[in-house]
Amino acid sequence: MAVVSQPTDPNCDVPQPGAVDAELGEFWVGNPWEIFETKNLSAFERNRLFMNVGGRAFLDVSYVSGADSDGDGRSAIAADFDNDGRLDLAVRQAGGGALLIYENQFSQRNYLTVDLMGTRSNRLGVGARLIARVGARQIVRERYPANTFNSAAPLAVHFGLGDAERVDELTILWPSGERQTLRDLDAGRHIEIVEGDAAIRVVTPGETRSPR
């Protein structure tokens, strides 16, 4: 256990309040800014990965997935790095550790990936809310770049659809206040939707595009 005193004062020198037990890993520094010069605060805890089970519980799959690294993991980004519709995982470690990429090898299921292009709203549609109706299910996503420690996820919005072959209805609440609804969207695609335009464009992985 570490107790930090005066964490925002780089000039402080706080006297040790009492004896510390070195066998328990306790230590004391008068200036908290010296910790990173003399100590490694990572206790090599193994990373944990939990799988959502139908929204009812979470199953610990850390060991069986191989994602239980004991590195000093500080950021985790979920993204479809190989464009197969399954979100993979990138974990960045502090202190120069390896960048870890975990390929999603769960059984292939259906999905829909959505990109937005604002016209009245901001160019990237940041802040939009997307509501997908898939049979009796409703899936809600918001278009924000997920930021963790020194990293950011792609803006593409991913919907996992299970066995469903289409999204019955997709409603987009744009930051401008416009409400846009599209129906009967086939699964297994990455599409782009332009604010106020009923047409959709299928995105091809690796394509090069000029800005509009």
Side-chain angles (χ1 to χ4, degrees):
M1 179 180 70
V3 178
V4 178
S5 177
Q6 303 296 324
T8 60
D9 182 0
N11 298 312
C12 73
D13 187 10
V14 180
Q16 182 173 312
V20 298
D21 190 338
E23 293 185 0
L24 294 178
E26 296 178 351
F27 63 89
W28 178 266
V29 293
N31 187 326
W33 294 81
E34 298 174 2
I35 292 176
F36 303 104
E37 299 176 3
T38 60
K39 301 291 182 180
N40 181 355
L41 297 185
S42 173
F44 301 100
E45 304 92 345
R46 305 198 75 86
N47 294 332
R48 316 302 297 172
L49 179 64
F50 296 90
M51 182 172 66
N52 187 336
V53 183
R56 299 183 301 274
F58 288 93
L59 179 65
D60 188 342
V61 295
S62 308
Y63 176 76
V64 296
S65 67
D68 61 337
S69 163
D70 64 355
D72 195 3
R74 297 296 180 91
S75 69
I77 292 298
D80 186 5
F81 294 110
D82 51 4
N83 296 305
D84 66 354
R86 294 176 290 186
L87 294 181
D88 309 298
L89 191 65
V91 178
R92 180 176 180 177
Q93 302 182 90
L99 174 66
L100 304 175
I101 304 292
Y102 296 99
E103 181 184 5
N104 188 337
Q105 296 184 343
F106 283 102
S107 299
Q108 184 73 53
R109 308 294 290 276
N110 286 327
Y111 71 97
L112 183 70
T113 302
V114 181
D115 263 315
L116 301 179
M117 181 178 294
T119 52
R120 294 175 55 210
S121 301
N122 63 81
R123 171 71 166 71
L124 296 175
V126 173
R129 171 171 288 193
L130 296 85
I131 305 168
R133 184 171 59 80
V134 184
R137 296 174 60 203
Q138 178 174 283
I139 310 171
V140 180
R141 299 282 185 266
E142 293 184 340
R143 182 153 162 106
Y144 285 106
N147 290 280
T148 63
F149 180 74
N150 287 342
S151 58
L155 269 173
V157 179
H158 179 89
F159 291 96
L161 305 180
D163 295 326
E165 297 180 353
R166 65 181 52 82
V167 170
D168 299 314
E169 182 178 272
L170 177 65
T171 300
I172 304 167
L173 307 178
W174 293 89
S176 65
E178 178 164 350
R179 183 185 185 96
Q180 183 173 356
T181 300
L182 300 97
R183 294 180 174 84
D184 296 326
L185 300 174
D186 290 336
R189 300 185 299 169
H190 183 168
I191 63 174
E192 179 187 72
I193 299 172
V194 178
E195 183 177 12
D197 190 342
I200 63 171
R201 190 185 70 84
V202 178
V203 177
T204 302
E207 68 178 359
T208 301
R209 299 173 52 209
S210 298
R212 296 186 181 182

